[in-house]
């Protein structure tokens, strides 16, 4: 059995590779252009003969088609990632997310190869109807705000996947990830937990955007990849959309305090207006919480919120890196 992971050099993709190798995989192909993914994420797999790294862009139709043809299952995780990165690179983000998904689905439909499509809680947009369940409405703002372009592109990806399921019987599962976090995630593209941990360890101020009352439901990457694998292996899940997240929101102010406490840092918290952080016209969803009823009914479990475990894992990783660099 050959598993193809697009975005296999990324944060979630590399953890998924570990999970598949530990459980089932005979062979794994990791397709990545290493723009936001990094070689260091998969360094530990370099000598594993079951792993092949394919340095390619998911927008490259022919290469993707060949990789999908050789695979028995596809996890399509390659995508533009990080709100900061997306608002700064709207065109590449749209092209990667739209063309990449079209390429994967079109090729998979040839042989009916099962596809997991990584989507995002971002598709709910600025809906205030928390907790979000899969059939809830999405609420987007104007097309002049790049964030909604990302949300729309991900929503179009979902429409495409579901249409391939309906019209071509393609076994697809759509998973909407809610703030997946853990070791290997970089703060470079704006994600809050690695950013705060790095700031706290460096003794710098923790930069809370807005008033910090906005909430997010943080989910450990180890849970996210286990669910990803289980969903694709569950026939009943095919043609369906699932929230993947731990249903227990934390405010960003509380998060900052927890990080300071757990690192034992002297850092202070500073509040920065959203416009200063992300540019004019930025819009921010206030609350984000998944309803995981459907997930629980389908695979029998859902992740528990465990902010302490997440933060400890990230802090331990960053501390170990600092020690190694000395
Ligand atoms: N955030 C923050 N300081 C940072 C980075 C992010 O306060 O240095 C906030 C951000 O505005 C958002 C939350 O933390 O409210 C989560 O941000 P992230 O980019 O990790 O995820 P997303 O916005 O996609 O939920």
């Amino acid at each position: 059995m050959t598993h193809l992971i697009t975005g296999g050099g990324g944060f979630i993709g590399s953890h998924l590779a570990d999970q598949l190798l530990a459980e089932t995989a005979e062979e794994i192909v990791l397709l990545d252009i290493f723009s936001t993914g990094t070689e260091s994420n998969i360094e530990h797999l370099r000598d594993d003969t079951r792993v092949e790294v394919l340095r390619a862009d998911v927008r490259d139709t022919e290469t993707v088609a060949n990789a999908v043809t050789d695979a028995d299952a596809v996890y399509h995780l390659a995508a533009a990632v990080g709100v900061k990165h997306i608002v700064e690179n709207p065109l590449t983000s749209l092209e990667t997310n739209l063309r990449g998904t079209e390429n994967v689905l079109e090729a998979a439909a040839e042989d009916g190869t099962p596809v997991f499509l990584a989507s995002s809680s971002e598709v709910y947009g600025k809906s205030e109807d928390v907790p979000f369940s899969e059939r809830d409405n999405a609420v987007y703002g104007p097309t002049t705000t790049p964030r909604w372009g990302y949300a729309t592109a991900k929503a179009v990806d979902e429409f495409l996947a579901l249409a391939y399921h309906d019209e071509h019987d393609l076994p697809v599962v759509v998973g909407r990830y809610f703030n997946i976090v853990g070791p290997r995630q970089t703060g470079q593209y704006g994600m809050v937990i690695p950013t705060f941990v790095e700031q706290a360890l460096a003794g710098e101020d923790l930069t809370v955007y807005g008033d910090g009352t906005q909430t997010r439901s943080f989910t450990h990457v180890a849970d996210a990849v286990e669910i990803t694998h289980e969903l694709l292996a569950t026939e009943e899940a095919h043609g369906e959309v699932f929230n993947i997240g731990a249903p227990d929101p934390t405010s960003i102010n509380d998060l900052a305090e927890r990080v300071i406490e757990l690192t034992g840092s002297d850092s202070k918290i500073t509040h920065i207006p959203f416009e200063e952080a992300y540019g004019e016209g930025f819009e921010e969803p206030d609350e984000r919480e998944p309803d995981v009823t459907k997930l629980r009914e389908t695979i029998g479990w859902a992740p528990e919120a465990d902010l302490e475990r997440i933060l400890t894992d990230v802090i331990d990783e960053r501390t170990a890196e600092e020690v190694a660099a000395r």
Side-chain angles (χ1 to χ4, degrees):
M1 174 116 183
T2 300
H3 298 255
L4 170 66
I5 306 178
T6 72
F11 159 57
I12 303 179
S14 65
H15 281 280
L16 179 62
D18 292 344
Q19 161 86 17
L20 294 176
L21 288 167
E23 276 203 10
T24 62
E26 281 156 25
E27 242 179 72
I28 292 199
V29 178
L30 305 175
L31 184 150
D32 209 298
I33 190 74
F34 296 101
S35 55
T36 54
T38 64
E39 309 269 3
S40 62
N41 284 343
I42 51 171
E43 174 78 38
H44 61 290
L45 301 177
R46 204 173 18 171
D47 297 328
D48 193 318
T49 50
R50 296 171 295 170
V51 179
E52 184 196 332
V53 178
L54 183 58
R55 185 178 278 275
D57 193 319
V58 78
R59 290 172 296 178
D60 176 347
T61 308
E62 203 181 319
T63 306
V64 169
N66 290 335
V68 171
T69 303
D70 292 342
D72 301 298
V74 181
Y75 297 88
H76 178 42
L77 271 57
V81 72
V83 175
K84 206 175 181 69
H85 180 68
I86 288 152
V87 299
E88 284 165 6
N89 303 278
L91 186 55
T92 322
S93 302
L94 285 167
E95 284 178 352
T96 302
N97 293 351
L98 292 169
R99 210 170 290 162
T101 300
E102 258 189 304
N103 284 343
V104 167
L105 292 170
E106 198 177 352
E110 292 283 319
D111 299 322
T113 309
V115 178
F116 175 90
L117 171 73
S119 187
S120 165
S121 56
E122 199 70 22
V123 295
Y124 293 104
K126 53 182 173 179
S127 165
E128 292 175 357
D129 191 14
V130 283
F132 301 142
S133 81
E134 291 83 352
R135 294 178 67 83
D136 284 350
N137 290 331
V139 182
Y140 299 153
T143 53
T144 43
T145 302
R147 180 171 201 151
W148 307 130
Y150 174 79
T152 304
K154 276 290 171 193
V156 171
D157 285 350
E158 293 194 9
F159 280 123
L160 276 170
L162 297 173
Y164 268 98
H165 176 265
D166 291 349
E167 289 191 29
H168 295 283
D169 285 327
L170 185 68
V172 291
V173 177
V174 176
R176 292 179 179 160
Y177 291 134
F178 278 69
N179 293 80
I180 310 301
V181 287
R184 293 184 205 150
Q185 187 176 42
T186 169
Q188 214 180 331
Y189 307 108
M191 276 73 154
V192 69
I193 287 188
T195 304
F196 281 0
V197 168
E198 281 164 22
Q199 288 168 334
L201 291 175
E204 294 164 5
D205 283 0
L206 272 63
T207 51
V208 171
Y209 300 156
D211 66 6
T213 57
Q214 71 271 29
T215 64
R216 293 295 185 272
S217 298
F218 296 102
T219 307
H220 200 295
V221 65
D223 292 336
V225 297
E226 202 177 325
I227 291 166
T228 298
H229 176 43
E230 276 186 44
L231 280 174
L232 193 58
T234 305
E235 213 167 303
E236 195 192 325
H238 295 171
E240 298 287 336
V241 179
F242 294 88
N243 288 335
I244 301 180
D248 187 11
T250 307
S251 79
I252 302 306
N253 282 332
D254 285 350
L255 175 70
E257 277 165 24
R258 290 292 281 149
V259 170
I260 289 175
E261 195 184 306
L262 287 169
T263 50
S265 169
D266 295 330
S267 294
K268 303 274 174 284
I269 294 172
T270 174
H271 288 86
I272 295 177
F274 285 118
E275 287 70 24
E276 209 175 292
Y278 297 110
E280 272 320 300
F282 181 77
E283 287 186 87
E284 169 79 356
D286 278 341
E287 291 181 89
R288 278 240 175 107
E289 183 187 347
D291 180 325
V292 289
T293 310
K294 186 173 174 185
L295 182 66
R296 207 174 264 135
E297 280 171 4
T298 307
I299 60 166
W301 69 286
E304 301 285 328
D306 191 349
L307 195 57
E308 174 133 359
R309 175 172 71 118
I310 292 169
L311 293 179
T312 308
D313 283 359
V314 175
I315 293 164
D316 287 351
E317 181 204 34
R318 293 301 202 274
T319 313
E321 276 170 8
E322 270 183 24
V323 171
R326 266 180 223 148

